[in-house]
Amino acid sequence: MGGKRLGAVLGLVVLLAVAPAAAAFKYVEVGQKAPDFALKTLDGQEVRLSDRVGPKALAVVFWATWSARSKPLLADLVELYRERKDQGFEIIAVNVDHEQLEGEARAAVEAAAKDLPFPVVVDEGLATYYAYGVVATPSLALLDETGTVRYALASYSTAAKRDLRDAVDALLGIHEEAAPRFAVKKRDYVPPKKATLHYQKAQVLIRRGMARKAVRDLERAAKIDPKWADPRVLLARLYLERAGKRPRYLEKAEAVLREAREIQPRHVQTVGLLAEVLEARGKHDEALAAAEEALRIEPAYTPALVVKARALRSLGRPEEAAQAVDAALELDPRNPRVLAEKGEVAAALGRWEEAAGAFRRAVELAWKARGEG
Amino acid sequence: MGTRGHKGLAVGVALAVAVGLGGLPRSAEAFRKVQPGQPAPEFALKTVDGGEVTLSAHRGKAVVLSFLRQGQGRSTKAAKALMEVAARFGDRVAVVGVVVNPGDGDAKAWAEGLGVSYPVALDTGQEVYGAYGVLVAPSTGVIDPDGVFVEEVGGYTAGFADEVRRLVAQALGEEVEEEPTPEETAKPEARKLAERHLQKAKLLAKRKMTEKALAAAREAVQADDTFGEAHELLGLWLLDASPDNADEAEPHLRKALEQNPRSTAAKVGLARVLGIRGQTDEAAALLEDAARLTPKPERIYYELGRIYEGAGQYEKAVGAYRKALERLLR
């Protein structure tokens, strides 16, 4: 049974492990085609992403009225849209307030969307939210005229405002000097064919629920090519999955992640995963440092905020843990792992009623996520 | 707390399915990697008598693919029940049994002991099992003549053969209303009537027409008071509709347990009744007992957490929820 569950989890992990630094979405990375969706606007008209692809720059923004940073992002997008519309900039705003948008909640979204000059669609059942694997709300994917994601944004800050504008302008061909930062990065490293074959075979095995066999191929790929990070990160995930029964796998996971970090130091998933492994090994100080390192790369990377909270809690600093977990909760309030950590932090603070509520929600969300995943 | 008795019938159905209750229309989790309407994954497997069986070789026929665990009683029953399906549709259907644990004993001897005439294959590397995302055995899927997955039937219950027959007819585009089989004619009129009422009730419940579903389920138990499944669903649905229904739900859940003493869903329902009445300890004891008897106790720990939380015993609620989460988040 364990193998099946592992396979199901890792089917998604495969995508995750190869994603570059931008981490707004778990399952969509920069350089990939954005998954299609067909969602209805508030007044019931269908908007299909693939029909809208074509302007030089198309922003898909996930937002919610409950998310504090959605408001300034939408306001800045309105401004940018007015300035750049004629040069080929379009926006689709995807509302992710609730699974079912009814009654007062619907009225609140309608009020917030009233003056937006671009289409606002409702993500019924949050299928698109889950399909993209949104890790923070708001999040934005900027697509080029072929529908390929060229830039991704998790949460929103003053600094992000400039980045977003530069990314849009780069796609529109304005301000050429901004372009190099946001050009689609070709994978600059080409591993030897033999290593690639092992890596691809491992991916197939994982998809078929044979993670155990995949380990061998990944170990081979890593051995053949000491300069390739991807098989190491994926291997670490497999080790971590198995560590529940055999703690020595945690040591192995740490070792391959440290190698991966040497190879690509600014890869947020690698560093975040290293933090998770260190925490599981009981090295709370190092875990905290790694989580903070990941958060310096991507401040809105919720998995790192969760590890940070866990490490702080283990270090007997539950008040600081509460801050970290609340930050994660604001970015990704539907993530069962975030809610579970919220429950642990509340329990550590002796707030049992709050803890029970958070845990209950975590269980309910875990089921929901499974249904989707 | 406003979360109890909340989400209508869907939760009751999901709960009943998750804890392995008999006779529901489908278990949403039997095949995790294949959805109705999608092409069914191709496979090629060796059979116990040395032949080979593939899915594509059966294009033009409906295929019944049944994942079986050797040595397991329910798998044996499912395998034998499928003989009836094979006989009924003749060469319009191909039944294929797949042993998911050929390494756990002499699979050939076990398959021969079944006395079935359709091929029984060995999924030695559990590759097909993995490709279809099977979680439990028996799990049975029906594939149409174009290779499209139609629907699944999780587990084995008294209505298993009927359900598979209905799905095969659907896959073949034949009339779903069928002439009664010998088994059906032998059934008392009362049960047949009750089954029709319950079928209707399930459809109504799916469409979230709560009151009508409850009415139809009440008619089912009126028609046949020994119909455990109807008592069970009626009891659970009543609780989902409102905690105020606890008194009406209780006798139905008790009757369900009389008919099927191992029913986890009925135990969970009864525990909810006790919880609503403030008999927290009794409810907890019942759930702890139920949790020991099921391989997937998450739902039960969740219900236990709800009961403690409702009683204001938050620390214990946290403990129960943690147990559920441990299994869900690993």
Side-chain angles (χ1 to χ4, degrees):
Chain A
M1 293 299 294
K4 299 291 146 307
R5 181 182 49 74
L6 187 66
V9 172
L10 288 167
L12 300 170
V13 165
V14 170
L15 291 170
L16 217 154
V18 296
F25 310 104
K26 271 184 277 189
Y27 309 133
V28 182
E29 56 178 297
V30 171
Q32 263 187 357
K33 283 257 181 305
D36 199 11
F37 57 76
L39 298 171
K40 292 209 166 115
T41 60
L42 285 161
D43 46 17
Q45 285 171 321
E46 190 177 274
V47 173
R48 187 176 289 277
L49 178 65
S50 48
D51 293 343
R52 300 285 169 139
V53 164
K56 285 185 190 163
L58 171 65
V60 176
V61 54
F62 293 89
W63 69 284
T65 58
W66 46 253
S67 128
R69 291 172 226 210
S70 286
K71 207 170 167 184
L73 173 58
L74 286 176
D76 290 343
L77 279 172
V78 169
E79 187 188 315
L80 194 57
Y81 178 72
R82 294 220 160 98
E83 282 174 40
R84 296 292 187 233
K85 184 177 186 294
D86 295 339
Q87 279 124 315
F89 178 45
E90 294 290 341
I91 298 173
I92 301 174
V94 181
N95 179 268
V96 296
D97 261 52
H98 296 287
E99 306 240 332
Q100 250 74 42
L101 197 58
E102 290 158 352
E104 277 176 35
R106 191 175 184 91
V109 172
E110 279 169 355
K114 186 163 56 76
D115 296 323
L116 297 178
F118 37 77
V120 178
V121 294
V122 177
D123 190 8
E124 187 76 23
L126 298 179
T128 306
Y129 177 90
Y130 288 125
Y132 276 65
V134 174
V135 299
T137 306
S139 279
L140 178 146
L142 188 64
L143 319 187
D144 67 12
E145 55 200 0
T146 70
T148 302
V149 179
R150 300 282 296 264
Y151 170 76
L153 179 64
S155 190
Y156 194 57
S157 62
T158 328
K161 179 175 179 174
R162 202 198 58 232
D163 273 5
L164 174 60
R165 177 174 286 267
D166 286 353
V168 170
D169 284 355
L171 278 183
L172 297 178
I174 306 167
H175 305 319
E176 287 298 334
E177 70 275 20
R181 266 206 298 153
F182 298 103
V184 176
K185 271 192 217 121
K186 268 214 115 46
R187 192 145 295 212
D188 39 12
Y189 184 70
V190 182
K193 184 142 192 224
K194 212 175 159 198
T196 313
L197 286 175
H198 279 295
Y199 184 66
Q200 286 168 346
K201 186 178 161 205
Q203 288 182 313
V204 171
L205 288 168
I206 290 168
R207 243 176 266 137
R208 293 195 185 158
M210 290 182 280
R212 194 175 281 253
K213 287 185 185 164
V215 167
R216 280 204 298 269
D217 282 287
L218 289 171
E219 284 172 343
R220 259 174 227 156
K223 197 172 172 189
I224 293 167
D225 187 354
K227 290 276 158 228
W228 191 18
D230 291 353
R232 291 175 164 77
V233 178
L234 186 48
L235 197 49
R237 290 204 180 266
L238 296 184
Y239 287 152
L240 193 57
E241 282 285 333
R242 292 170 78 172
K245 284 180 193 138
R246 299 201 185 122
R248 75 186 162 92
Y249 280 109
L250 285 179
E251 284 169 48
K252 298 176 94 164
E254 184 183 334
V256 289
L257 283 169
R258 287 194 185 279
E259 288 170 17
R261 186 172 63 169
E262 283 288 306
I263 300 164
Q264 46 180 22
R266 288 197 48 84
H267 188 267
V268 66
Q269 280 98 342
T270 303
V271 183
L273 197 56
L274 178 61
E276 201 173 316
V277 169
L278 289 167
E279 176 59 23
R281 292 202 66 189
K283 300 180 178 180
H284 309 304
D285 286 307
E286 287 179 65
L288 181 58
E292 279 169 346
E293 184 185 332
L295 290 168
R296 278 193 296 277
I297 302 168
E298 173 54 78
Y301 191 59
T302 45
L305 282 166
V306 172
V307 179
K308 182 178 173 183
R310 203 178 299 152
L312 285 166
R313 184 163 52 78
S314 309
L315 291 167
R317 293 154 66 182
E319 282 86 5
E320 289 163 82
Q323 282 178 9
V325 80
D326 286 344
L329 209 52
E330 193 185 316
L331 291 165
D332 194 4
R334 293 195 189 88
N335 183 329
R337 287 176 196 278
V338 176
L339 263 303
E341 183 53 35
K342 171 82 182 166
E344 293 295 356
V345 169
L349 290 165
R351 299 185 202 143
W352 291 103
E353 183 171 0
E354 189 186 339
F359 274 117
R360 170 169 31 77
R361 184 104 178 95
V363 177
E364 290 163 358
L365 286 165
W367 272 318
K368 226 167 243 169
R370 281 197 160 194
E372 303 290 334
Chain B
M1 46 182 265
T3 45
R4 185 186 293 289
H6 44 119
K7 287 172 193 150
L9 302 183
V11 170
V13 172
L15 171 68
V17 168
V19 296
L21 159 76
L24 278 168
R26 60 174 288 199
S27 155
E29 292 221 313
F31 292 86
R32 292 176 49 135
K33 302 243 179 87
V34 193
Q35 295 293 321
Q38 284 182 352
E42 169 67 331
F43 59 82
L45 290 172
K46 291 263 182 296
T47 61
V48 288
D49 47 15
E52 196 189 62
V53 59
T54 65
L55 178 59
S56 49
H58 294 301
R59 275 295 146 81
K61 293 180 184 182
V63 176
V64 177
L65 183 62
S66 190
F67 292 89
L68 308 166
R69 184 172 294 281
Q70 66 163 314
Q72 183 201 49
R74 275 169 294 145
S75 287
T76 306
K77 284 182 187 162
K80 288 181 175 168
L82 289 176
M83 278 295 283
E84 202 185 299
V85 177
R88 171 153 179 92
F89 292 95
D91 60 7
R92 286 168 297 160
V93 73
V95 178
V96 179
V98 177
V99 179
V100 299
N101 60 338
D104 290 353
D106 188 345
K108 187 167 192 283
W110 181 77
E112 282 167 2
L114 295 172
V116 299
S117 56
Y118 54 79
V120 177
L122 302 173
D123 192 10
T124 309
Q126 296 209 328
E127 296 194 13
V128 184
Y129 183 83
Y132 279 74
V134 176
L135 271 182
V136 293
S139 280
T140 304
V142 176
I143 299 157
D144 80 5
D146 298 323
V148 173
F149 191 78
V150 176
E151 188 58 287
E152 63 191 27
V153 184
Y156 173 81
T157 61
F160 175 77
D162 288 347
E163 181 69 10
V164 176
R165 214 166 32 228
R166 190 181 65 73
L167 292 173
V168 172
Q170 188 188 329
L172 292 168
E174 295 179 3
E175 264 315 294
V176 178
E177 279 309 312
E178 301 163 41
E179 56 198 82
T181 62
E183 191 201 317
E184 274 174 346
T185 44
K187 244 180 224 169
E189 285 300 315
R191 175 58 62 94
K192 282 200 293 187
L193 179 64
E195 278 176 353
R196 276 202 294 277
H197 283 304
L198 190 64
Q199 207 60 42
K200 185 176 149 201
K202 285 178 188 170
L203 276 174
L204 290 163
K206 247 188 192 167
R207 294 182 197 147
K208 302 195 174 174
M209 299 165 77
T210 310
E211 284 307 319
K212 286 186 177 169
L214 287 173
R218 284 193 189 101
E219 284 186 65
V221 297
Q222 255 162 31
D224 182 354
D225 193 47
T226 65
F227 193 6
E229 187 195 344
H231 279 297
E232 182 168 284
L233 283 180
L234 177 54
L236 292 173
W237 290 349
L238 280 164
L239 287 176
D240 284 336
S242 162
D244 298 339
N245 291 335
D247 288 343
E248 190 191 343
E250 182 179 3
H252 293 298
L253 293 165
R254 291 205 184 274
K255 277 185 186 155
L257 271 178
E258 271 168 34
Q259 298 294 325
N260 180 9
R262 293 179 61 88
S263 165
T264 314
K267 278 183 202 163
V268 170
L270 204 52
R272 284 170 66 189
V273 169
L274 295 169
I276 289 164
R277 292 201 187 127
Q279 293 165 260
T280 311
D281 294 343
E282 290 91 331
L286 199 60
L287 288 175
E288 297 275 10
D289 174 54
R292 271 192 294 276
L293 291 174
T294 168
K296 285 184 73 183
E298 297 96 274
R299 292 269 171 189
I300 297 171
Y301 285 123
Y302 171 73
E303 286 297 335
L304 186 58
R306 294 278 301 264
I307 281 169
Y308 280 131
E309 196 183 349
Q313 300 186 30
Y314 300 116
E315 211 168 328
K316 283 187 175 169
V318 165
Y321 289 138
R322 265 203 197 111
K323 281 186 186 168
L325 268 181
E326 266 167 29
R327 290 168 170 82
L328 286 166
L329 287 187
R330 257 183 306 200

